[in-house]
């Protein structure tokens, strides 16, 4: 099985397993006796496993055991965790090949020894002393030839494979240590902060959310780039807690866009202290390792510049247009600065928010759509390393019919517009094309930004309508939700289709 099939089987199985376990636990007791449907529960599990944070139910509906289960789904669905598992599988495969090479080398040496013994026995049966001396004199030369052949051909290959195995083994433990260390530090800092700041602690106490569960859930969700928060309002209720936002900002960057840069830095530091040979192999021959997140040196440096460049552009535009908006009312200058920084960093690709997205100006929404669409390791790389490489042959039919990412998104948006066409006529202010585009792009980018649904925007007022603090997709039909589930899976596995649509030539 190729990596694509393995990962799609993994995420589908993880989602169904989470759905089965989630049904075993009862939701929290609600005054309106609301119980999520099976499709809503499965949608939530897919959203957690694919770290998309799209929601069709309010988060405070889930009980403490259900929140713990969702935490596990987000942890096991995060890119750092899944890539670490892939490294261990690759390490196991190389180890098996080394064992096969060792066995074959042993067989070759045994065959060579048997040939020498046969030559010696033939020489002993000979009655001529000259023939015996000649055979004895030939034996050392044959041994020397065999030794030189082994030293030149076999041994360097084994040494190279062994070095590659040791390097991948080191890298797998580095990623594991990185994953545990960053999450653990974030959880400890969040526990200390909430325990010390009464305003943040009172929010959890009022909502009946366990402090420890909230800390584990939020930090793991942020590092995995999911964006789920146990509160219905996401991070809006903590918009004045700048310290809490500052704790989560590094988690957003270290678990997503800056992960390759930090990983390369950790490997370099290990090479300075110990494991110098393996570290040099990882840094200088990162392409041979085949690990997506271990980028070359130049690409890593340009990635840092690109990431902070996008943050700066978003911060300037957001501040200039939204500084006096209703979403930031009541905040001090310092709180606005930290809040805007937190908001723009989350557009790629975590999706936590301190403001209602539906109140943001359209120009900023378009910018957010672009940021959500871009892959996490997008960087300005003007140097083409493959300029002298031969062009790949277009012999495979499947590669020619695969479309680009944007083409599939257009198809998904059209399908959603078809399934929700009646609501688009009856409720055009909520069900408009821009809201649907933002929802689909957000699901594809595994971000979680949503315009939500407001009863106040209904043209034909409905007295039975109640505002719910969940995503816009929560008001979609079952067919629309199923399409969005496909979009979340497609977005989680988009790295396997980055070269799609190459057969199309636009002139």
């Amino acid at each position: 099985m190729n990596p694509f099939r393995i990962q799609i089987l993994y995420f589908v199985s993880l989602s169904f397993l989470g759905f089965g376990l989630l049904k075993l636990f009862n939701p929290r007791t609600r005054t309106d006796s609301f119980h999520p449907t099976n499709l809503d529960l499965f949608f939530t599990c897919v959203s957690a496993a694919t770290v998309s944070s799209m929601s069709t139910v309010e988060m405070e509906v889930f009980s403490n055991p259900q929140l713990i289960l969702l935490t596990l789904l987000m942890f096991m669905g995060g890119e750092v965790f899944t890539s670490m598992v892939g490294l261990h599988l690759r390490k196991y495969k190389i180890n098996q090949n080394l064992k096969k090479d060792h066995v074959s080398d042993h067989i070759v040496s045994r065959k060579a020894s048997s040939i020498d013994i046969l030559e010696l026995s033939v020489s002993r049966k000979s009655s001529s002393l000259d023939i015996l001396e000649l055979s004895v004199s030939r034996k050392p030369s044959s041994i020397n030839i065999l030794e030189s052949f082994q030293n030149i051909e076999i041994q360097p290959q084994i040494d190279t494979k062994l070095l590659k195995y040791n390097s991948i083994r080191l890298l797998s433990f580095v990623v594991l240590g990185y994953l545990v260390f960053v999450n653990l530090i974030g959880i400890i800092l969040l526990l200390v902060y909430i325990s010390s700041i009464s305003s943040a602690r009172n929010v959890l106490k009022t909502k009946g959310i366990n402090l420890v569960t909230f800390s584990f859930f939020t930090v793991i969700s942020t590092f995995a780039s999911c964006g789920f928060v146990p509160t219905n309002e996401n991070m809006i209720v903590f918009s004045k807690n700048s310290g809490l936002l500052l704790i989560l900002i590094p988690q957003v960057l270290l678990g997503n866009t800056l992960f390759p840069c930090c990983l390369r830095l950790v490997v370099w530091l290990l090479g300075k202290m110990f494991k110098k040979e393996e570290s040099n192999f990882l840094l200088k021959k990162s392409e041979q390792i085949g690990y997506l997140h271990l980028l070359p040196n130049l690409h890593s440096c340009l990635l840092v510049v690109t990431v902070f460049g996008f943050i700066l552009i978003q911060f300037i535009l957001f501040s200039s247009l939204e500084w006096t908006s209703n979403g930031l009312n009541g905040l001090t200058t310092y709180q606005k600065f930290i809040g805007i920084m937190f908001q723009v960093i989350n557009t790629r690709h975590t999706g936590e928010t301190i403001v209602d997205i539906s109140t943001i100006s359209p120009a900023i929404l378009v910018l957010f759509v672009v940021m959500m669409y871009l892959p996490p390791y997008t960087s300005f790389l003007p140097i083409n390393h493959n300029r002298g490489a031969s062009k790949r042959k277009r012999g495979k039919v499947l590669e020619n019919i695969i479309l680009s990412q944007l083409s599939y998104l257009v198809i998904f948006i059209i399908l959603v517009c078809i399934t929700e066409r009646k609501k688009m006529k009856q409720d055009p202010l909520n069900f408009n094309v821009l809201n649907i585009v933002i929802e689909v792009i957000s699901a594809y980018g595994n971000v979680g930004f949503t315009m939500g649904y407001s009863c106040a925007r209904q043209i034909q007022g409905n007295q039975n309508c109640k505002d719910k603090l969940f995503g816009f997709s929560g008001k979609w039909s079952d067919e629309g939700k199923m399409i969005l589930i496909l979009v979340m899976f497609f977005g989680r596995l988009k790295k396997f289709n980055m070269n799609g649509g190459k057969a199309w030539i636009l002139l």
Side-chain angles (χ1 to χ4, degrees), residues 240-255:
K240 295 183 178 180
N241 298 109
S242 301
L244 190 148
L245 302 181
L246 286 174
I247 293 174
L248 295 180
I249 285 177
Q251 297 288 327
V252 176
L253 296 174
L254 296 179

Side-chain angles (χ1 to χ4, degrees), residues 61-304:
V61 168
F62 297 109
S63 60
N64 195 67
Q66 289 177 322
L67 291 177
I68 295 174
L69 177 60
L70 292 176
T71 304
L72 293 176
L73 291 179
M74 292 185 294
F75 181 79
M76 297 176 65
E79 181 63 27
V80 178
F81 178 84
T82 54
S83 66
M84 181 195 67
V85 174
L87 277 176
H88 283 283
L89 293 176
R90 185 175 177 84
K91 179 185 67 175
Y92 173 78
K93 183 179 179 180
I94 295 179
N95 188 29
Q96 293 299 110
N97 292 335
L98 282 174
K99 290 181 179 180
K100 291 180 181 179
D101 293 340
H102 179 73
V103 171
S104 61
D105 184 27
H106 182 65
I107 293 174
V108 169
S109 61
R110 288 184 62 185
K111 287 183 178 179
S113 300
S114 63
I115 293 174
D116 292 340
I117 294 173
L118 180 62
E119 289 180 356
L120 182 60
S121 62
V122 171
S123 64
R124 284 180 176 177
K125 291 181 181 179
S126 177
S127 57
S128 175
L129 183 60
D130 296 335
I131 296 177
L132 178 60
E133 291 177 353
L134 182 61
S135 64
V136 171
S137 63
R138 282 181 178 179
K139 181 180 176 182
S141 62
S142 63
I143 295 176
N144 293 332
I145 295 174
L146 180 62
E147 289 179 351
S148 61
F149 173 77
Q150 290 178 344
N151 291 332
I152 296 174
E153 298 292 337
I154 299 177
Q155 196 62 36
Q157 294 180 2
I158 295 177
D159 290 343
T160 303
K161 290 182 178 180
L162 184 60
L163 178 59
K164 186 176 182 180
Y165 168 77
N166 291 332
S167 301
I168 294 179
R169 182 172 179 269
L170 173 65
L171 183 62
S172 63
F173 286 110
V174 168
V175 175
L176 175 60
Y178 183 90
L179 175 67
V180 174
F181 178 78
V182 177
N183 277 283
L184 187 61
I185 292 298
I187 292 170
I188 294 174
L189 291 176
L190 199 59
L191 282 171
V192 172
Y193 179 85
I194 298 178
S195 300
S196 305
I197 305 300
S198 59
S199 59
R201 186 172 63 252
N202 291 336
V203 171
L204 301 182
K205 186 177 180 180
T206 303
K207 294 178 175 292
I209 301 175
N210 184 274
L211 171 60
V212 177
T213 302
F214 175 84
S215 300
F216 274 85
F217 186 100
T218 305
V219 171
I220 290 177
S221 173
T222 305
F223 180 82
S225 300
C226 183
F228 269 148
V229 179
T231 60
N232 290 337
E233 305 87 353
N234 204 274
M235 297 300 294
I236 296 177
V237 290
F238 299 106
S239 59
K240 295 183 178 180
N241 298 109
S242 301
L244 190 148
L245 302 181
L246 286 174
I247 293 174
L248 295 180
I249 285 177
Q251 297 288 327
V252 176
L253 296 174
L254 296 179
N256 191 268
T257 51
L258 294 184
F259 172 58
C261 311
C262 297
L263 179 63
R264 191 173 181 87
L265 178 62
V266 173
V267 173
W268 178 79
L269 291 176
L270 289 177
K272 292 296 182 179
M273 295 182 291
F274 55 92
K275 298 290 184 180
K276 184 175 182 180
E277 189 175 5
E278 290 85 353
S279 298
N280 289 336
F281 186 86
L282 290 172
L283 296 176
K284 295 180 180 180
K285 299 183 179 180
S286 56
E287 295 180 356
Q288 296 184 18
I289 299 297
Y291 186 58
L292 174 66
H293 309 285
L294 188 63
L295 300 178
N297 184 42
L298 178 61
H299 194 172
S300 299
C301 296
L302 294 177
L303 177 61
V304 175

Side-chain angles (χ1 to χ4, degrees), residues 445-491:
N446 306 122
V447 180
F449 278 165
T450 178
M451 296 291 285
Y453 185 91
S454 175
C455 297
R457 291 197 292 263
Q458 290 182 341
I459 294 179
Q460 299 176 356
N462 185 358
Q463 295 180 354
N464 297 325
C465 180
K466 294 182 179 179
D467 287 322
K468 296 289 185 179
L469 296 175
F470 49 69
F472 175 47
S473 56
K475 291 290 185 178
W476 291 11
S477 62
D478 290 347
E479 295 80 4
K481 292 177 182 178
M482 293 176 66
I483 293 174
L484 205 62
I485 288 175
L486 294 178
V487 176
M488 288 189 287
F489 280 123
F490 176 70

